[in-house]
Structure formats: C-alpha cells, structure tokens
Amino acid sequence: MKSNKLIIAAGTGFLGQVLTNHFRDKFEEIIILTRGESKIKDTIKYVNWDAKKTFSGWEKELENATVLINLTGKSVDCRYTKKNKKEILLSRIESTKILNKAVTRCANPPKHWLNSSTATIYRFSLDKEMDEMNGEIGNDFSMNVAQSWEKAFFKTETPNTLKTALRTSIVLGKNGGAFVPLKTLAKFGLGGKQGKGNQFISWIHEDDFARAINFIIENEITGVVNIVSPKPITNRDFMALLSKSVGVPFVVPISELLLKIGSIIIKTESELVLKSRNVIPKRLQQYGFQFEFSTLEKALKNLS
C-alpha cells in the first residue's frame, strides 16, 4: 500500500531527483519545495519557498505528511571565500530552523523528518574507521558547519515527528554528483592518485543512497545515521578502479600543489579531494540493511 505524502525540500537537484525517482511509486503524493516556480509536472507538485525565514503558504503542505526530507544547502563545491562560507552555513541553518518552526506549528505534523547532514563531520582519519558511536568529530570550517547544522535540527523538540540526520558521503550517480567530473578526469588520463593518494574516500551508489533512506523510514531509525558504503577505499585505489572502468590504461598522478592550483582555477577547494573520510555505516548494518553495491567494482560496473 502506498504511503500518503512525501515532501522533499530542495528536491530539484541531483539527490532530490534520485529520491523522487525511487519514491515515485511508493507515495500517493510527492511535493517538492523549491526556489523555482510553483507548478505541477508529471504528477509531482512543486511549491515555491525561499528556504530561509519566511512562511508563504508552503508550510501548509507539511500537514498530514508521512515523510519530510530536507536536502537544502549551498554546494560546497566552491571557493571558501568569506561570502561563500556564510552562504554554506546559513543555507543549512536557516532552512532547518524554518522547517522546525513549521513542523511545530502543524496540527498533524510529518511522521518522520530526515535532514541532510554530512560524513565530513568526522575528523581527517587514516588510522580509524568512524562510526556513529565512536567517530571523532573534528574542528575546522566544514566540520563546524556540520555540527551547527545538526544542532539546529535536533535542538527543537518535535514530540510527534521522528528525526534522523543523514551523514551522507559522496553519492556516485550517472547524472550528477562527483562521479561525472571524476570520470571525465579519468578519461583524459588524469586518473592517478590525487595528492598522497592514501586518504580514504567514503562513497555510496545512488541506488543504495535511496534504498538506505527508504530503509530508515521503514524501520523508523532516528538520531544520526552514516549513509556510506561498507568499505572506505583509498584515493589511489579509487582512481585506479575508475580509470580501469573507463578503459584508460595510463594514469597521471596529480600532486597536492597542482591540485591546489587547479582548485583555484576551477573555483573549488582541494580539501574536497584531500580530506580522508574514513566512515562506515555501522547503524545501517546493525539494523540489517543489505547494500546492492557494497564494493566500488560493482558500483562502477553499474555506472559506466
């Protein structure tokens, strides 16, 4: 039997589309909160909101919702200028706060609210796998944003709404996310290690991302959940497998200095590639979640 109503805040991007496609047949009604115009397209209702501090009618859609998923947040794929840093932080905090306000005002609030967070909340780690219980929270701009984000989410009590923070890693998908530019690099022979190459990458296939969220809803898992595949892989091995999957036999490694110069040119930050994200999905596995793409080889075979 189909559930009643799913709301996805900021659902027009890559991850929003992945979730919309996955849940299309599972909910009678899907509503996307968007900064774009309000419209109905392919049975999906798009409702305009500013993702900041204003109620403008969108908040009424939360009444009687089964599930609310909030994906709002400026992309971190940019230079960390003062202006961009402020936007990265505020886009996450303000949208979460106004949704908290809206949920607490509902007569019949959403049964379960899943809010984006990030696996970047854990410190740089070569030595230890980070799970939800024993993972060590770090202290730099990205980690502090993640902590503030989760604090804004959990601080307001919502007695009739379950809450889950999704500590998501790099999601690999055919039509978006990090996979597309990485694949392009590999095709041009630039698929060697980046920097030292020993830093870990935590990743998840787009199908497992959607399936994990579905699983969290079905099992009513609350608190923080790492949305990552079971085995982090070093950057060196990740790039080697990627190059092999696109059929490029030769690879050029990219030094840390070159990465930093290149990052300035393409207006991004080298930390997105150089940070070691050594994160595992302990809670998902404890609940018995089965990954379809548990290894990078399987994921790349499917995506290539």
Side-chain angles (χ1 to χ4, degrees), residues 35-241:
R35 286 183 193 167
E37 59 177 324
S38 296
K39 60 183 179 184
I40 293 174
K41 188 183 174 193
D42 301 330
T43 72
I44 310 252
K45 185 178 179 184
Y46 294 82
V47 177
N48 176 265
W49 78 319
D50 69 358
K52 287 181 182 167
K53 299 171 182 172
T54 328
F55 287 143
S56 56
W58 60 264
E59 66 280 3
K60 296 185 185 83
E61 302 292 348
L62 270 58
E63 289 286 355
N64 301 304
T66 317
V67 177
L68 165 63
I69 302 173
N70 178 27
L71 302 171
T72 312
K74 176 181 167 60
S75 170
V76 292
D77 185 7
C78 62
R79 292 299 291 166
Y80 287 175
T81 60
K82 200 173 172 185
K83 179 175 178 281
N84 283 340
K85 278 180 161 182
K86 189 179 173 186
E87 273 186 43
I88 286 168
L89 177 64
L90 287 183
S91 61
R92 286 159 174 74
I93 304 299
E94 288 183 340
S95 59
T96 302
K97 278 185 173 173
I98 193 74
L99 284 170
N100 258 319
K101 210 170 181 180
V103 166
T104 55
R105 288 185 178 193
C106 283
N108 294 297
K111 292 185 177 71
H112 197 161
W113 173 8
L114 298 89
N115 210 58
S116 277
S117 182
T118 172
T120 302
I121 199 165
Y122 303 107
R123 69 164 171 84
F124 178 103
S125 174
L126 300 173
D127 58 307
K128 173 182 170 178
E129 289 182 336
M130 301 290 174
D131 64 38
E132 297 92 340
M133 282 64 86
N134 303 311
E136 293 165 23
I137 308 290
N139 178 23
D140 68 5
F141 167 68
S142 301
M143 298 170 213
N144 293 338
V145 164
Q147 287 181 78
S148 303
W149 197 4
E150 288 189 4
K151 191 177 170 188
F153 178 50
F154 287 118
K155 193 168 68 173
T156 302
E157 286 186 20
T158 53
N160 300 311
T161 303
L162 303 174
K163 278 182 165 174
T164 313
L166 309 167
R167 290 182 175 172
T168 306
S169 61
I170 294 165
V171 180
L172 302 179
K174 281 184 178 149
N175 302 313
F179 183 66
V180 178
L182 284 172
K183 194 174 170 184
T184 306
L185 274 180
K187 279 181 175 170
F188 283 109
L190 297 170
K193 65 175 184 168
Q194 296 165 322
K196 289 180 182 168
N198 64 339
Q199 68 272 30
F200 283 97
I201 296 175
S202 288
W203 58 275
I204 190 166
H205 186 288
E206 59 183 349
D207 290 355
D208 279 338
F209 169 76
R211 288 177 61 250
I213 295 204
N214 198 356
F215 183 84
I216 288 166
I217 294 163
E218 283 179 355
N219 290 278
E220 298 186 344
I221 305 170
T222 58
V224 298
V225 182
N226 292 341
I227 312 289
V228 296
S229 63
K231 203 73 195 127
I233 184 169
T234 63
N235 174 277
R236 182 188 289 107
D237 292 343
F238 184 100
M239 295 309 291
L241 285 167

